[in-house]
Structure formats: C-alpha cells, structure tokens
Amino acid sequence: PGTSKNLSLELLLSLAQGKHSTVEPLRHVPPVESFTLQCTSRTTAKAVENVFRSAIERKRKFPSSESMVILDEIGLMEQNPLF
C-alpha cells in the first residue's frame, strides 16, 4: 500500500502532453488522457464498462491523443459477491 505508484503515474501523465510537454522526448508522443476507476468490493461490471466507454468516446473525439484506463485496486472487485 502507498501512493508511490499513483504518484509516479500522475507525474508521467502530467508530462505526457504531446507537443506541449515540458520534457523534450515526450513531445514526440501523443498526449494521454487517463480515465480512472477506484475499485471497491462493490464495484460493478457496469462501472468498469462505463469507464472504458468514456475512454473510447474520448478517443473518437480526439483521435490524435491516447486514452488510458486505470482500474485502481482492481483486486478488491474479487470480494464482490456478484462476481
């Protein structure tokens, strides 16, 4: 447990802004938009589906960028009695 993984990912995403990045090597990759779902033991398949649909819709609207889905603490979903 901790925040180092999340912090590292947030730092990378803040720099992955395509040609507007403050880091020269990242100026040559498309900007990245993240879609995060904080999973719990009550997270449903519908919630997961919705976050993926949002990412797909964003990609359709902005084809020159990339969409990334992050399912934080996905292991907690295994505790959901509906699965």
Side-chain angles (χ1 to χ4, degrees), residues 7-70:
L7 181 60
S8 298
L9 184 57
E10 287 301 317
L11 178 61
L12 178 62
L13 289 171
S14 71
L15 297 172
Q17 298 301 314
K19 64 182 179 180
H20 302 292
S21 178
T22 58
V23 177
E24 200 282 325
L26 292 178
R27 291 182 191 149
H28 305 287
V29 297
V32 178
E33 178 79 23
S34 68
F35 295 82
T36 303
L37 178 63
Q38 179 64 49
C39 300
T40 69
S41 60
R42 294 181 177 198
T43 300
T44 63
K46 188 68 171 172
V48 174
E49 180 182 343
N50 287 341
V51 77
F52 273 94
R53 286 187 188 278
S54 295
I56 291 167
E57 185 60 30
R58 170 75 180 186
K59 180 66 177 172
R60 284 186 186 135
K61 288 182 180 178
F62 301 96
S64 62
S65 67
E66 294 298 330
S67 294
M68 175 190 300
V69 173
I70 301 165

